[in-house]
Amino acid sequence: MSYYVAGNPVLTAGSYVSGGAAELQSSDSAYYVANSSSGNPKQVVFTVQSQSMTQPASISQIEVRFVVMSDHTNVTVDLYVKGSTGYPASPDSGFTFTTAGVSKTAYFYLSVAELSYINSLADRRVDLMVSATGNLNYQLSSDQILFTASP
């Protein structure tokens, strides 16, 4: 079963340019866009929450798919899934842009501990934090965030 972002991203570092939850629904070149912060390192950080995962009754696997683009190279994007104790110190997935202006797609699966936590919730949702860092000013354009739950 596929689930999307439930509401607009909450931007905690960087500055909002355009877009919202609707732009994160499909990989269609419609973007949620943020400019990096002015500090050092330059950052874009935002969180999203999935729609309520009502099916399947018991989830044994959740895949997260994230499609994003940066207008500069050497921007590192790390993805974190919130567990029972909050967001982890180490990312669940991450990559660095080696080419500017070209979309990258990251896929990863939630850990057993994260799945156990999600399954324990009355309202099963995944909280995802996207954290991008770079040394030069950049613009991060997020195209899709998709959560796929499997029995």
Side-chain angles (χ1 to χ4, degrees), residues 1-137:
M1 219 39 215
S2 293
Y3 296 95
Y4 301 98
V5 171
N8 286 328
V10 176
L11 185 66
T12 57
S15 59
Y16 174 79
V17 175
S18 63
E23 284 68 32
L24 297 172
Q25 298 296 312
S26 59
S27 185
D28 58 1
S29 298
Y31 298 100
Y32 169 72
V33 182
N35 287 330
S36 59
S37 63
S38 58
N40 194 14
K42 311 220 178 290
Q43 293 184 299
V44 170
V45 179
F46 66 88
T47 57
V48 295
Q49 187 176 64
S50 73
Q51 295 170 316
S52 183
M53 297 181 171
T54 57
Q55 297 292 325
S58 179
I59 299 173
S60 65
Q61 180 174 282
I62 297 175
E63 178 190 78
V64 178
R65 179 179 193 261
F66 180 51
V67 182
V68 65
M69 179 172 58
S70 172
D71 67 346
H72 282 289
T73 60
N74 297 318
V75 173
T76 298
V77 177
D78 289 322
L79 305 169
Y80 301 83
V81 172
K82 187 176 183 179
S84 61
T85 59
Y87 289 105
S90 298
D92 289 270
S93 183
F95 56 87
T96 300
F97 283 97
T98 56
T99 306
V102 175
S103 289
K104 289 186 77 78
T105 302
Y107 295 93
F108 70 94
Y109 294 93
L110 271 62
S111 69
V112 171
E114 291 163 341
L115 278 172
S116 178
Y117 171 68
I118 299 298
N119 276 314
S120 74
L121 300 173
D123 184 13
R124 299 183 301 182
R125 295 176 185 261
V126 175
D127 290 297
L128 178 70
M129 179 171 60
V130 176
S131 178
T133 57
N135 292 323
L136 300 174
N137 290 327

